[in-house]
Coordinates of all heavy atoms in Angstrom, one line a residue:
P1 N -18.3 190.8 -12.9 CA -18.1 191.6 -11.7 C -19.3 192.4 -11.5 O -20.1 192.7 -12.4 CB -16.9 192.4 -12.0 CG -16.8 192.5 -13.5 CD -17.4 191.2 -14.0
S2 N -19.5 192.8 -10.2 CA -20.7 193.7 -9.9 C -20.4 195.1 -10.4 O -19.2 195.4 -10.8 CB -20.9 193.7 -8.4 OG -19.9 194.4 -7.7
E3 N -21.4 195.9 -10.4 CA -21.2 197.3 -10.8 C -20.1 198.0 -10.0 O -19.3 198.7 -10.5 CB -22.5 198.1 -10.8 CG -23.4 197.6 -11.9 CD -24.8 198.2 -11.8 OE1 -25.1 199.0 -10.9 OE2 -25.6 197.9 -12.7
A4 N -20.1 197.8 -8.7 CA -19.2 198.4 -7.8 C -17.8 197.9 -8.1 O -16.8 198.7 -8.1 CB -19.5 198.1 -6.3
E5 N -17.6 196.6 -8.3 CA -16.3 196.1 -8.6 C -15.8 196.6 -10.0 O -14.6 196.9 -10.1 CB -16.4 194.5 -8.7 CG -16.6 193.9 -7.3 CD -16.9 192.4 -7.4 OE1 -17.4 192.0 -8.5 OE2 -16.8 191.7 -6.4
A6 N -16.7 196.7 -11.0 CA -16.3 197.1 -12.3 C -15.8 198.6 -12.2 O -14.9 198.9 -13.0 CB -17.4 197.0 -13.3
A7 N -16.3 199.4 -11.4 CA -16.0 200.8 -11.3 C -14.8 201.0 -10.4 O -14.3 202.1 -10.3 CB -17.2 201.6 -10.9
S8 N -14.4 200.1 -9.6 CA -13.4 200.3 -8.5 C -12.0 200.6 -9.1 O -11.2 201.2 -8.4 CB -13.3 199.1 -7.6 OG -12.8 198.0 -8.3
D9 N -11.7 200.3 -10.3 CA -10.4 200.6 -10.9 C -10.4 202.1 -11.5 O -9.4 202.5 -12.0 CB -10.1 199.6 -12.0 CG -11.0 199.7 -13.2 OD1 -11.9 200.5 -13.2 OD2 -10.7 199.0 -14.2
G10 N -11.5 202.8 -11.4 CA -11.5 204.2 -11.8 C -11.9 204.3 -13.3 O -12.1 205.4 -13.8
G11 N -12.1 203.2 -14.0 CA -12.5 203.3 -15.4 C -14.0 203.3 -15.5 O -14.7 203.2 -14.6
P12 N -14.4 203.5 -16.8 CA -15.8 203.6 -17.0 C -16.5 202.2 -16.7 O -15.9 201.2 -16.9 CB -15.9 203.9 -18.5 CG -14.6 204.2 -19.0 CD -13.6 203.7 -18.0
A13 N -17.7 202.3 -16.3 CA -18.5 201.1 -16.0 C -20.0 201.4 -16.4 O -20.5 202.6 -16.2 CB -18.4 200.7 -14.5
E14 N -20.7 200.5 -16.9 CA -22.1 200.6 -17.2 C -22.9 200.4 -15.9 O -22.6 199.4 -15.1 CB -22.5 199.6 -18.2 CG -24.0 199.7 -18.5 CD -24.4 198.8 -19.7 OE1 -23.6 198.6 -20.6 OE2 -25.6 198.4 -19.7
V15 N -23.8 201.3 -15.6 CA -24.6 201.2 -14.4 C -26.0 201.2 -14.7 O -26.5 202.0 -15.5 CB -24.3 202.4 -13.4 CG1 -25.2 202.3 -12.2 CG2 -22.8 202.4 -13.0
T16 N -26.8 200.2 -14.2 CA -28.2 200.2 -14.4 C -28.9 200.5 -13.1 O -28.6 199.9 -12.0 CB -28.6 198.8 -14.9 OG1 -28.0 198.5 -16.1 CG2 -30.1 198.7 -15.0
V17 N -29.8 201.4 -13.1 CA -30.5 201.8 -11.9 C -32.0 201.4 -12.0 O -32.7 201.8 -13.0 CB -30.4 203.3 -11.6 CG1 -31.2 203.7 -10.4 CG2 -29.0 203.7 -11.5
A18 N -32.5 200.5 -11.2 CA -33.9 200.1 -11.2 C -34.7 201.0 -10.4 O -34.5 201.3 -9.2 CB -34.0 198.7 -10.6
L19 N -35.7 201.6 -11.1 CA -36.6 202.6 -10.4 C -37.8 201.9 -10.0 O -38.3 200.9 -10.6 CB -36.9 203.7 -11.3 CG -35.8 204.6 -11.8 CD1 -36.3 205.6 -12.8 CD2 -35.1 205.3 -10.7
G20 N -38.4 202.4 -8.9 CA -39.7 201.9 -8.5 C -40.8 202.4 -9.5 O -40.5 203.1 -10.4
P21 N -42.0 202.0 -9.2 CA -43.1 202.5 -10.1 C -43.2 204.0 -10.2 O -43.4 204.6 -9.1 CB -44.4 201.8 -9.6 CG -44.0 201.0 -8.4 CD -42.5 201.2 -8.1
V22 N -43.1 204.5 -11.4 CA -43.2 206.0 -11.5 C -44.0 206.2 -12.8 O -43.9 205.5 -13.8 CB -41.8 206.6 -11.7 CG1 -41.9 208.1 -12.0 CG2 -41.0 206.4 -10.5
G23 N -44.8 207.2 -12.8 CA -45.5 207.6 -14.0 C -45.5 209.1 -14.3 O -45.8 209.8 -13.3
H24 N -45.2 209.5 -15.4 CA -45.2 210.9 -15.8 C -45.3 211.0 -17.3 O -44.8 210.2 -18.0 CB -43.9 211.6 -15.3 CG -43.9 213.1 -15.4 ND1 -44.5 213.8 -14.4 CD2 -43.5 213.9 -16.4 CE1 -44.5 215.1 -14.8 NE2 -43.9 215.2 -16.0
V25 N -46.0 212.0 -17.7 CA -46.2 212.3 -19.1 C -45.4 213.5 -19.5 O -45.4 214.5 -18.9 CB -47.7 212.6 -19.4 CG1 -47.9 213.0 -20.9 CG2 -48.6 211.4 -19.1
F26 N -44.5 213.3 -20.5 CA -43.7 214.4 -21.0 C -44.3 214.8 -22.3 O -44.4 214.1 -23.3 CB -42.2 213.9 -21.2 CG -41.5 213.5 -20.0 CD1 -41.4 212.2 -19.6 CD2 -41.0 214.5 -19.1 CE1 -40.8 211.8 -18.5 CE2 -40.4 214.1 -18.0 CZ -40.2 212.8 -17.6
R27 N -44.8 216.0 -22.4 CA -45.3 216.6 -23.6 C -44.2 217.1 -24.5 O -43.1 217.3 -24.1 CB -46.3 217.7 -23.2 CG -47.4 217.4 -22.3 CD -48.5 216.7 -23.0 NE -49.6 216.3 -22.1 CZ -50.3 215.3 -22.2 NH1 -50.1 214.4 -23.2 NH2 -51.3 215.1 -21.3
A28 N -44.6 217.3 -25.8 CA -43.6 217.8 -26.7 C -43.0 219.1 -26.2 O -43.7 220.0 -25.7 CB -44.3 218.0 -28.1
G29 N -41.7 219.2 -26.3 CA -41.0 220.4 -25.8 C -40.5 220.3 -24.4 O -39.7 221.1 -23.9
H30 N -41.0 219.4 -23.6 CA -40.6 219.2 -22.2 C -39.2 218.7 -22.1 O -38.7 218.0 -23.0 CB -41.5 218.3 -21.4 CG -42.8 218.9 -21.0 ND1 -43.6 218.3 -20.1 CD2 -43.4 220.0 -21.3 CE1 -44.7 219.1 -19.9 NE2 -44.6 220.1 -20.6
R31 N -38.5 219.0 -21.1 CA -37.1 218.5 -20.8 C -37.1 217.9 -19.5 O -37.8 218.2 -18.6 CB -36.1 219.7 -20.9 CG -36.1 220.3 -22.3 CD -35.1 221.4 -22.2 NE -35.0 222.1 -23.5 CZ -34.2 223.0 -23.9 NH1 -33.2 223.3 -23.0 NH2 -34.2 223.5 -25.1
I32 N -36.2 217.0 -19.3 CA -35.9 216.4 -18.0 C -34.5 216.5 -17.7 O -33.6 216.8 -18.5 CB -36.3 214.9 -18.0 CG1 -35.5 214.0 -18.9 CG2 -37.8 214.7 -18.2 CD1 -35.6 212.6 -18.8
R33 N -34.2 216.5 -16.4 CA -32.8 216.6 -15.9 C -32.4 215.4 -15.1 O -33.2 214.9 -14.3 CB -32.6 217.9 -15.0 CG -31.3 218.0 -14.4 CD -31.1 219.3 -13.6 NE -32.0 219.3 -12.5 CZ -32.5 220.5 -12.0 NH1 -32.0 221.6 -12.4 NH2 -33.3 220.4 -11.0
L34 N -31.3 214.9 -15.4 CA -30.8 213.7 -14.6 C -29.7 214.2 -13.6 O -28.8 214.8 -14.0 CB -30.1 212.7 -15.6 CG -29.4 211.5 -15.0 CD1 -30.4 210.6 -14.2 CD2 -28.6 210.7 -16.0
E35 N -30.0 213.9 -12.4 CA -29.1 214.3 -11.3 C -28.5 213.0 -10.7 O -29.1 212.1 -10.4 CB -29.8 215.1 -10.2 CG -30.3 216.4 -10.7 CD -30.9 217.2 -9.5 OE1 -30.8 216.8 -8.4 OE2 -31.5 218.3 -9.8
I36 N -27.1 213.1 -10.6 CA -26.4 211.9 -10.0 C -25.9 212.3 -8.7 O -25.2 213.3 -8.5 CB -25.3 211.5 -11.0 CG1 -25.9 211.1 -12.3 CG2 -24.4 210.4 -10.4 CD1 -24.8 210.9 -13.4
A37 N -26.2 211.6 -7.6 CA -25.8 211.9 -6.3 C -25.3 210.6 -5.6 O -25.7 209.5 -5.9 CB -27.0 212.5 -5.5
A38 N -24.5 210.8 -4.5 CA -24.0 209.7 -3.8 C -24.9 209.3 -2.6 O -24.6 208.3 -2.0 CB -22.6 210.0 -3.3
S39 N -25.9 210.1 -2.4 CA -26.7 209.8 -1.2 C -28.1 209.4 -1.7 O -28.5 209.6 -2.9 CB -26.8 211.0 -0.3 OG -27.5 212.0 -0.9
N40 N -28.9 209.0 -0.8 CA -30.3 208.7 -1.1 C -31.2 209.5 -0.1 O -32.1 209.0 0.5 CB -30.6 207.2 -0.9 CG -31.9 206.8 -1.5 OD1 -32.7 207.6 -2.0 ND2 -32.2 205.5 -1.4
A41 N -30.8 210.8 0.1 CA -31.6 211.6 1.0 C -32.9 212.0 0.3 O -33.0 212.1 -0.9 CB -30.8 212.9 1.3
P42 N -34.0 212.1 1.0 CA -34.1 212.0 2.4 C -34.4 210.5 2.9 O -34.6 210.3 4.1 CB -35.3 212.9 2.7 CG -36.2 212.7 1.5 CD -35.2 212.5 0.4
R43 N -34.4 209.6 2.1 CA -34.6 208.2 2.5 C -33.6 207.7 3.5 O -33.9 207.1 4.5 CB -34.7 207.2 1.3 CG -35.1 205.8 1.6 CD -35.2 205.0 0.4 NE -35.6 203.6 0.8 CZ -35.4 202.6 0.0 NH1 -34.8 202.8 -1.2 NH2 -35.7 201.4 0.4
F44 N -32.3 208.0 3.3 CA -31.3 207.7 4.2 C -30.5 208.9 4.6 O -30.5 209.9 3.8 CB -30.3 206.7 3.6 CG -30.9 205.4 3.2 CD1 -31.0 205.0 1.9 CD2 -31.3 204.5 4.1 CE1 -31.6 203.8 1.5 CE2 -31.9 203.3 3.8 CZ -32.0 203.0 2.4
D45 N -30.0 209.0 5.8 CA -29.3 210.1 6.2 C -28.0 210.3 5.4 O -27.4 209.4 5.0 CB -28.9 210.0 7.7 CG -30.1 210.1 8.6 OD1 -31.1 210.8 8.2 OD2 -30.0 209.6 9.8
V46 N -27.6 211.6 5.2 CA -26.4 211.9 4.5 C -25.2 211.6 5.5 O -25.3 211.9 6.7 CB -26.4 213.4 4.2 CG1 -25.1 213.8 3.5 CG2 -27.6 213.7 3.3
H47 N -24.2 211.1 4.9 CA -23.0 210.8 5.7 C -21.9 211.8 5.4 O -21.2 211.7 4.3 CB -22.4 209.4 5.4 CG -21.4 208.9 6.4 ND1 -20.3 209.5 6.7 CD2 -21.5 207.8 7.2 CE1 -19.6 208.9 7.6 NE2 -20.3 207.8 7.9
P48 N -21.7 212.9 6.2 CA -20.9 214.0 5.8 C -19.4 213.7 5.7 O -18.6 214.5 5.2 CB -21.2 215.1 6.8 CG -21.6 214.3 8.0 CD -22.3 213.1 7.5
R49 N -18.9 212.6 6.3 CA -17.5 212.3 6.3 C -17.0 211.5 5.1 O -15.8 211.2 5.0 CB -17.2 211.5 7.6 CG -17.4 212.3 8.8 CD -17.1 211.5 10.0 NE -18.0 210.4 10.2 CZ -18.9 210.3 11.1 NH1 -19.0 211.2 12.0 NH2 -19.7 209.3 11.2
V50 N -17.9 211.1 4.2 CA -17.5 210.3 3.1 C -17.7 211.1 1.8 O -18.8 211.5 1.5 CB -18.2 208.9 3.0 CG1 -17.9 208.2 1.8 CG2 -18.0 208.1 4.3
L51 N -16.7 211.3 1.0 CA -16.8 212.0 -0.2 C -17.0 211.0 -1.4 O -16.3 209.9 -1.4 CB -15.6 212.9 -0.5 CG -15.3 214.0 0.4 CD1 -14.1 214.7 0.1 CD2 -16.5 215.0 0.4
A52 N -17.8 211.3 -2.3 CA -17.9 210.5 -3.5 C -17.7 211.4 -4.7 O -18.2 212.5 -4.8 CB -19.3 209.9 -3.5
H53 N -17.0 210.9 -5.7 CA -16.7 211.6 -6.9 C -17.3 210.8 -8.1 O -17.1 209.6 -8.2 CB -15.2 211.8 -7.1 CG -14.6 212.6 -6.0 ND1 -14.6 213.9 -6.0 CD2 -13.9 212.2 -4.9 CE1 -14.0 214.3 -4.9 NE2 -13.6 213.3 -4.2
H54 N -18.1 211.5 -8.9 CA -18.7 210.8 -10.0 C -18.2 211.5 -11.3 O -18.1 212.7 -11.4 CB -20.2 211.0 -10.0 CG -20.8 210.5 -8.7 ND1 -21.0 209.1 -8.4 CD2 -21.3 211.1 -7.6 CE1 -21.5 209.0 -7.2 NE2 -21.8 210.2 -6.7
T55 N -18.0 210.7 -12.3 CA -17.6 211.1 -13.6 C -18.6 210.5 -14.6 O -18.7 209.3 -14.6 CB -16.2 210.8 -14.0 OG1 -15.3 211.4 -13.0 CG2 -15.8 211.3 -15.4
V56 N -19.2 211.3 -15.4 CA -20.1 210.8 -16.5 C -19.3 210.9 -17.8 O -18.9 212.0 -18.2 CB -21.4 211.6 -16.6 CG1 -22.2 211.1 -17.7 CG2 -22.2 211.5 -15.3
H57 N -18.9 209.8 -18.3 CA -18.2 209.8 -19.6 C -19.2 209.9 -20.7 O -20.2 209.3 -20.7 CB -17.4 208.4 -19.8 CG -16.4 208.2 -18.7 ND1 -15.1 208.7 -18.8 CD2 -16.5 207.6 -17.5 CE1 -14.4 208.4 -17.7 NE2 -15.2 207.7 -16.9
H58 N -18.8 210.7 -21.7 CA -19.7 210.9 -22.9 C -19.0 211.2 -24.1 O -17.9 211.7 -24.1 CB -20.7 212.0 -22.6 CG -20.1 213.3 -22.3 ND1 -19.7 214.2 -23.2 CD2 -19.7 213.8 -21.1 CE1 -19.2 215.3 -22.6 NE2 -19.2 215.1 -21.3
G59 N -19.5 210.7 -25.2 CA -18.9 210.9 -26.5 C -17.7 210.0 -26.8 O -17.3 209.3 -25.9
G60 N -17.3 210.0 -28.0 CA -16.1 209.2 -28.4 C -16.3 207.7 -28.0 O -17.3 207.1 -28.4
D61 N -15.3 207.2 -27.3 CA -15.4 205.8 -26.9 C -16.3 205.5 -25.7 O -16.5 204.3 -25.4 CB -14.0 205.3 -26.5 CG -13.0 205.3 -27.6 OD1 -13.4 205.2 -28.8 OD2 -11.8 205.5 -27.4
H62 N -16.8 206.5 -25.1 CA -17.7 206.3 -23.9 C -19.0 207.1 -24.0 O -19.2 208.0 -23.2 CB -16.9 206.7 -22.6 CG -15.6 206.1 -22.5 ND1 -15.4 204.8 -22.3 CD2 -14.3 206.6 -22.6 CE1 -14.1 204.5 -22.2 NE2 -13.4 205.6 -22.4
P63 N -19.8 206.7 -24.9 CA -21.1 207.4 -25.0 C -22.0 207.1 -23.7 O -21.9 206.1 -23.1 CB -21.8 206.8 -26.2 CG -21.2 205.4 -26.3 CD -19.8 205.5 -25.8
S64 N -22.8 208.1 -23.3 CA -23.7 208.0 -22.2 C -25.1 208.0 -22.8 O -25.4 208.7 -23.8 CB -23.5 209.1 -21.2 OG -22.2 209.0 -20.6
R65 N -26.0 207.4 -22.0 CA -27.4 207.5 -22.4 C -28.3 207.3 -21.2 O -27.9 206.7 -20.2 CB -27.7 206.5 -23.5 CG -27.5 205.0 -23.1 CD -27.8 204.1 -24.2 NE -27.6 202.7 -23.7 CZ -27.8 201.7 -24.4 NH1 -28.2 201.8 -25.6 NH2 -27.6 200.5 -23.9
L66 N -29.5 207.8 -21.4 CA -30.5 207.5 -20.4 C -31.7 206.9 -21.1 O -32.3 207.5 -22.0 CB -31.0 208.9 -19.7 CG -32.2 208.8 -18.8 CD1 -31.9 207.9 -17.6 CD2 -32.6 210.2 -18.4
L67 N -32.1 205.7 -20.8 CA -33.2 205.0 -21.4 C -34.4 205.0 -20.5 O -34.3 204.6 -19.4 CB -32.8 203.6 -21.8 CG -31.6 203.4 -22.7 CD1 -31.3 201.9 -22.9 CD2 -31.9 204.0 -24.1
L68 N -35.5 205.5 -21.0 CA -36.7 205.6 -20.2 C -37.7 204.7 -20.9 O -37.9 204.8 -22.1 CB -37.2 207.0 -20.1 CG -36.3 208.0 -19.4 CD1 -36.9 209.4 -19.5 CD2 -36.1 207.6 -18.0
P69 N -38.4 203.8 -20.2 CA -39.4 203.0 -20.8 C -40.6 203.9 -21.1 O -40.9 204.9 -20.5 CB -39.8 202.0 -19.7 CG -39.4 202.7 -18.4 CD -38.2 203.6 -18.7
S70 N -41.4 203.5 -22.1 CA -42.6 204.2 -22.5 C -43.7 203.2 -22.8 O -43.5 202.1 -23.2 CB -42.3 205.1 -23.7 OG -42.0 204.3 -24.8
L71 N -44.9 203.7 -22.7 CA -46.1 202.9 -23.0 C -46.7 203.4 -24.3 O -46.7 204.6 -24.6 CB -47.1 203.1 -21.9 CG -46.7 202.5 -20.5 CD1 -47.7 202.8 -19.4 CD2 -46.4 201.0 -20.5
P72 N -47.3 202.6 -25.1 CA -47.9 203.0 -26.3 C -49.1 203.9 -26.1 O -49.7 203.8 -25.0 CB -48.3 201.7 -27.0 CG -48.3 200.7 -26.0 CD -47.4 201.1 -24.9
G73 N -49.3 204.9 -26.9 CA -50.4 205.8 -26.8 C -50.2 206.9 -25.9 O -51.1 207.6 -25.6
G74 N -49.0 207.1 -25.4 CA -48.7 208.1 -24.4 C -48.6 209.4 -25.1 O -48.9 210.5 -24.8

């Protein structure tokens, strides 16, 4: 099933987000924040009549993770 179909029953689903080319150097001690949103503003207009609810499952049977690619020598 697609990611949308897998999540339609309200249960956990693995989601993969393909990012465009991005480059950033994170030095020791730096932190990043992951924000999850239902819109793609400002690329697309916000649709104020549709609500989206997101749940991030973590720990136990539903661990969460964020995998970032890295280049050697960074």
